[in-house]
Amino acid sequence: MQHGPVVRRRKLGAELRALRMAAGITSGEAARLAGWHQSKVSRIETGTSGVKPADVRLLLDVYGVDDEQLRGLLVMLARSEDAGGRHHWWHAYRGVLPPTYRDFISLESQAGAMRTLETTVVPGLLQTPEYARAVTRAAVDGMPAERLETLVEVRLARQDVLRREPPLELTAVLDEAVLRREVGGPGVMARQLERLVEAARLPHVRLQVLPFAAGAHIGVTGPFVIFSFSSTSDLDVVVLDHLTSSLHLERKEDLEAYTEAFNALLIHALSPEDSLDFIAATAAGA
């Protein structure tokens, strides 16, 4: 379990090393053909330094790799830590957002699908401004008003992934506690529940409620997110949030375990149709 960029950097390095060896090229020869010092190739392959997408393309040319899907995958790995100098919208908030949050936003922006279990609050991608403000204020007591508004601005900007083309495919399992916990007062909560009803009707959003009546379930250990990428499952990652940091799990056995857990939650949760009715009834005060 490590932070996202480190894991992805090492994965990229290992893939490039395997391709170099398959091509029968030594690291020294690769460096010469790329016009680099040998130490640069070594640092890339061991994951001790970042690599630009352009450098990945150059190495792939040197190794004679013409598989477009594979090339796209490895370039995406390079871009996932923004090592190429590309400035995404969240870079404007570098002084406000911790690195782990920026990592999360980066994954979210590149993923094709997101599966999430939420046990306490509404997923950030579905929060109203008022709800987001109340949650953020509660999470960090005494936060200056300007910083609070900046974080709310970031939360709302993240929601663009649901409006892009193609949109992020979001599947969320919500514990009933998420709907019952009054955040920001009755008015704020009423509008938030209405927002969930609207979101649940979108073709790329699937919400399922896990009612209290379902009893104890595998999700009692805490919320988690599974990001999936359109090009390949090799990039899939599980993110676990903690109070001061996030952990990224990318081992095959970890991904399988969390995927099985999420599928089990879907079975025990209400159907999407019944969940929509449940949320609407909760919003109506039933």
Side-chain angles (χ1 to χ4, degrees):
M1 295 187 295
Q2 302 183 50
H3 295 306
V6 175
V7 175
R8 285 172 130 56
R9 193 185 305 157
R10 289 179 179 173
K11 178 177 286 191
L12 174 59
E15 292 290 341
L16 291 173
R17 180 175 183 273
L19 289 171
R20 174 179 62 74
M21 295 181 68
I25 299 175
T26 67
S27 59
E29 290 171 336
R32 178 178 58 79
L33 292 170
W36 302 339
H37 191 279
Q38 183 176 351
S39 63
K40 179 173 181 176
V41 175
S42 298
R43 289 196 303 273
I44 290 173
E45 292 186 353
T46 57
T48 55
S49 68
V51 55
K52 298 178 180 179
D55 288 343
V56 171
R57 294 190 188 96
L58 177 55
L59 286 177
L60 294 176
D61 289 341
V62 168
Y63 304 155
V65 178
D66 55 11
D67 183 325
E68 289 302 322
Q69 183 175 3
L70 178 58
R71 290 176 69 94
L73 164 64
L74 298 181
V75 169
M76 183 184 291
L77 277 173
R79 285 176 175 165
S80 69
E81 60 168 315
D82 298 319
R86 294 176 56 200
H87 293 289
H88 299 286
W89 65 264
W90 56 89
H91 280 225
Y93 301 93
R94 291 178 67 90
V96 178
L97 305 180
T100 51
Y101 192 15
R102 296 200 302 270
D103 295 342
F104 186 90
I105 296 174
S106 177
L107 288 170
E108 189 176 70
S109 70
Q110 296 171 17
M114 173 179 174
R115 288 166 286 175
T116 181
L117 165 68
E118 289 292 347
T119 58
T120 55
V121 297
V122 170
L125 294 182
L126 302 178
Q127 292 179 5
T128 65
E130 297 82 7
Y131 186 97
R133 188 172 294 109
V135 166
T136 305
R137 184 183 294 113
V140 185
D141 188 37
M143 179 183 296
E146 183 177 354
R147 179 179 172 84
L148 173 64
E149 291 306 315
T150 298
L151 291 177
V152 172
E153 184 179 308
V154 170
R155 182 70 54 88
L156 299 180
R158 284 173 47 203
Q159 297 177 1
D160 282 344
V161 296
L162 296 177
R163 294 185 286 267
R164 73 189 185 195
E165 286 298 333
L168 177 75
E169 297 285 339
L170 174 64
T171 302
V173 173
L174 309 181
D175 191 278
E176 184 177 343
V178 173
L179 309 179
R180 301 295 184 189
R181 178 170 288 102
E182 189 175 285
V183 174
V188 170
M189 200 61 202
R191 285 188 291 274
Q192 178 60 71
L193 292 175
E194 290 172 1
R195 167 69 180 125
L196 287 179
V197 170
E198 294 171 359
R201 294 194 174 109
L202 295 174
H204 53 282
V205 176
R206 172 176 173 172
L207 300 184
Q208 289 188 235
V209 175
L210 196 61
F212 291 147
H217 53 78
I218 197 167
V220 295
T221 55
F224 60 87
V225 175
I226 305 174
F227 286 116
S228 299
F229 296 82
S230 303
S231 57
T232 175
S233 61
D234 289 343
L235 282 174
D236 290 1
V237 57
V238 176
V239 181
L240 307 178
D241 266 339
H242 297 275
L243 182 61
T244 58
S245 65
S246 297
L247 292 176
H248 296 65
L249 292 80
E250 297 186 286
R251 295 187 308 169
K252 182 179 180 180
E253 52 266 42
D254 292 327
L255 287 166
E256 289 178 348
Y258 276 89
T259 298
E260 289 177 5
F262 193 80
N263 290 339
L265 290 169
L266 291 178
I267 293 173
H268 288 91
L270 300 176
S271 69
E273 296 75 19
D274 289 343
S275 294
L276 179 58
D277 292 339
F278 191 95
I279 295 171
T282 304

